[in-house]
Amino acid sequence: MSPQQDQNAVFWYDLLSPLFCGKIPPEDTADFLRELTETEHLFPDGQRKKPSRATLYRKWKQYREGGFEALLRQRRSDRRKPRKNRRKRQAMIDRAVELKMEQPHRSVDDINQLLQEEFQTSIPKSTLYRYFRRAGATRLAPPPSQAKVKGLIKTITPRDRQILEQWRHSSNKRLWEGAVAILDSCDSTVEEISEKIERSVQTVYRWVRLYKRHGAEGLRRSPKVAGPGLIKTISPRDRQILEQWRKSNNKILWDKAVTILDSSGSTVEEICAKTERSRASVFRWAKAFNDHGIEGLRRRSRDRTNSNQKLEIKTRRIFEILHDRPMSFGINRSNWSLRSLATAYRNRHGEAISASTIGRLMKGAGYRFRKARRVLTSPDPNYREKVELLLETLQSLKPTELLFFVDELGPLRVKSYGGRCYAPKKKPPTYVDRQKSRGSITLFGALSATTNQVTWFYGKSKDTEAMIDLAEILFNQHHDRSRLYITWDAASWHSSNALTSWLDAFNAQTRELGNGPIIEFLPLPSRSQFLDVIEAAFSGMKRAVIHHSDYASEYEMKSAISAHFVERNEYFKHNPRRAGKKIWEIDFFNDFKNILGGDYREW
């Protein structure tokens, strides 16, 4: 029994001891276990976590059936052994190891293919690699039964022996290694030869194979360089045409002629260096000439007409599937993915297609994965009339008239706020979720559409009296103007009877005295906050002085907000610019649909 097992058993016994000893009445068992699941406990592995109810019931049952010993973690009897279809799986593993021992260079995919044909199933690659390592049947570690074999080369002809003896006394290390590998293979093991020439066992086996196939000349060749004989035969007519190509100014024809004509006396590497072409191009031209003669070299690389037609057909089929629902193809998804499109394509047309091909075709057709954007719409039945009135007033303002966007912000609690800031990569800043409020403020503001100046004050609540105070402040600030337009959202206190009565009386008194501007209200449609430009000013203020803040009092927060608006007003005095962007550019007769859908964000 390990110390870890002792600690686990003691932990569970201490946790459930009131239940084991009968201190908990049967009717209170469920409540006791529920309390345990709701509390974090320090487990023997050092982690604090809450045990599940199923685990507690299982431990209780184990103790009742077997006592303290049952709480110990039991080791599986079939550990490190296959557990499903044990005999068949073991037979497959033995067969896989046998196949690998026969040919060490045989890949895992080839072995799985052979197992599929023999047993109608395969084994995961990681499992095969594990068993190959245990049996010593990997390329890096050849099995001892093969590595310690003597007499790999049974007979060496007198001519080859004479050549090999010359190589053995040569200063060329490559030839010396090949000669030693072949001559000593009759009396030495592969490992001894490998150690002597300081080469791997696989290299020794490769040289032995080359000698058995081609004799001593097989060792003279480099595995990466093909010798003469790349081209079988060249007819007199073809030779005459190739000689003309060789004298031609066409670089491609010259390269092809040199490749074919020089193949009898030069290696592939020499031809590649001469023509400045890749080995693949040389071999491709040689194969084309051997198969079709001079006509094979005249063929173009590929006729892409049929290929383009096939791609067009595939693209059309993909979009036919794309405009249908995945449920129609038995796929439990609400939207399409590349993999599900490939599955539906294969099921409908009986032709396999990869997800990457579908992605490439859709990208070529101009399709991308896009997130649906929620647009702002207004249910106001007089939406068009109100928007037209606002835009006409805004775009026809006289020099003596001003238009203000008005809104409220708050109540804002004085507490610690989160936000974006510079921080270490793996240590994001945090703030407490539940905090004791240090007070709250409510901000009222008006933004001039032409001068981009903000007028603000702090109140106690959002009501009609606050709106009257803001209107009087604007009247006193712009006493030299002829008319002030105030536009705001459809809040209840913006359209109250008391506010309307006050406005009528205030304008009547202004006309009677003949001094001061006339105030007019332009209510926005309901749920059309995207038309109220001051929302952007409030958002910028919150990012600057509210986000990631921790003010101690209401006075400190009000001072920061006021300082922000003072700096903002000072900036736009020296850099005049109208408030908003798109709202000044839109021709509402032509772009009314975009306004209605709320597609414009920068107001």
Side-chain angles (χ1 to χ4, degrees), residues 169-236:
H169 297 88
S170 171
S171 59
N172 189 321
K173 189 173 185 302
R174 167 72 175 77
L175 297 179
W176 176 83
E177 291 170 349
V180 171
I182 302 304
L183 293 174
D184 292 1
S185 62
C186 300
D187 304 321
S188 304
T189 63
V190 178
E191 289 185 345
E192 293 172 348
I193 298 172
S194 174
E195 184 178 355
K196 185 175 182 179
I197 64 177
E198 298 179 354
R199 290 281 188 170
S200 65
V201 174
Q202 288 77 17
T203 303
V204 176
Y205 276 115
R206 186 173 69 250
W207 287 342
V208 169
R209 253 192 333 269
L210 289 173
Y211 178 79
K212 288 182 177 180
R213 293 177 183 175
H214 309 287
E217 293 299 327
L219 300 179
R220 197 193 298 267
R221 300 174 183 175
S222 173
K224 296 184 179 180
V225 181
L230 191 64
I231 301 301
K232 299 175 183 178
T233 56
I234 305 177
S235 64

Side-chain angles (χ1 to χ4, degrees), residues 517-543:
I518 301 298
I519 299 177
E520 290 189 16
F521 294 159
L522 299 175
L524 293 174
S526 59
R527 298 184 186 178
S528 58
Q529 297 89 346
F530 52 90
L531 291 173
D532 202 351
V533 181
I534 197 173
E535 294 277 1
F538 283 165
S539 178
M541 181 273 296
K542 291 175 68 177
R543 288 197 301 270

Side-chain angles (χ1 to χ4, degrees), residues 217-454:
E217 293 299 327
L219 300 179
R220 197 193 298 267
R221 300 174 183 175
S222 173
K224 296 184 179 180
V225 181
L230 191 64
I231 301 301
K232 299 175 183 178
T233 56
I234 305 177
S235 64
R237 178 179 172 276
D238 291 344
R239 185 178 294 277
Q240 182 180 359
I241 296 174
L242 291 172
E243 290 291 348
Q244 295 176 359
W245 287 4
R246 195 167 195 168
K247 299 176 182 179
S248 171
N249 294 328
N250 190 321
K251 178 72 166 56
I252 297 179
L253 296 181
W254 182 87
D255 292 342
K256 293 179 179 180
V258 169
T259 300
I260 305 303
L261 294 175
D262 293 1
S263 60
S264 58
S266 304
T267 63
V268 175
E269 295 297 334
E270 293 172 349
I271 296 174
C272 290
K274 189 174 184 179
T275 60
E276 298 179 354
R277 293 282 184 169
S278 64
R279 289 170 51 86
S281 299
V282 172
F283 281 113
R284 186 176 67 250
W285 290 338
K287 184 177 184 304
F289 184 82
N290 289 331
D291 295 342
H292 307 283
I294 198 68
E295 296 299 327
L297 299 179
R298 284 175 171 166
R299 294 181 180 180
R300 296 182 178 179
S301 58
R302 187 171 60 175
D303 186 6
R304 297 187 177 273
T305 305
N306 294 334
S307 178
N308 293 336
Q309 291 178 354
K310 291 180 181 179
L311 292 179
E312 291 177 0
I313 294 173
K314 287 184 178 180
T315 305
R316 185 174 66 252
R317 290 177 176 177
I318 290 170
F319 282 107
E320 288 176 357
I321 297 173
L322 186 65
H323 289 95
D324 203 345
R325 297 182 304 167
M327 291 291 186
S328 304
F329 298 87
I331 300 174
N332 186 26
R333 289 182 62 91
S334 60
N335 57 349
W336 287 107
S337 65
L338 294 179
R339 185 174 296 179
S340 58
L341 280 171
T343 303
Y345 188 96
R346 182 173 60 253
N347 294 339
R348 168 171 284 189
H349 301 288
E351 179 183 349
I353 187 172
S354 65
S356 59
T357 301
I358 292 179
R360 186 174 69 254
L361 294 178
M362 292 181 64
K363 184 177 180 180
Y367 274 66
R368 302 289 190 278
F369 278 104
R370 290 287 183 267
K371 183 179 180 180
R373 185 177 66 179
R374 183 176 61 183
V375 296
L376 299 173
T377 56
S378 174
D380 196 324
N382 299 321
Y383 181 89
R384 183 184 183 98
E385 290 78 8
K386 292 181 179 180
V387 171
E388 288 182 346
L389 177 60
L390 170 63
L391 296 178
E392 284 181 350
T393 304
L394 183 65
Q395 297 178 6
S396 61
L397 284 176
K398 298 178 181 178
T400 59
E401 297 176 346
L402 292 176
L403 186 144
F404 293 93
F405 297 97
V406 175
D407 200 7
E408 308 85 14
L409 180 65
L412 286 175
R413 293 174 57 196
V414 181
K415 62 171 188 174
S416 177
Y417 285 88
R420 298 173 64 88
C421 66
Y422 283 104
K425 185 175 182 180
K426 296 183 179 180
K427 294 182 180 180
T430 60
Y431 67 99
V432 181
D433 184 19
R434 296 185 179 182
Q435 305 177 42
K436 185 178 179 180
S437 177
R438 309 181 190 114
S440 65
I441 65 171
T442 302
L443 175 67
F444 301 88
L447 176 65
S448 174
T450 52
T451 63
N452 217 333
Q453 299 294 303
V454 178

Side-chain angles (χ1 to χ4, degrees), residues 48-64:
R48 285 191 171 273
K49 49 189 176 181
K50 299 177 182 179
S52 65
R53 196 166 183 175
T55 303
L56 296 176
Y57 273 110
R58 187 176 71 253
K59 295 297 180 182
W60 185 23
K61 180 181 178 182
Q62 290 175 355
Y63 184 82
R64 281 184 298 158

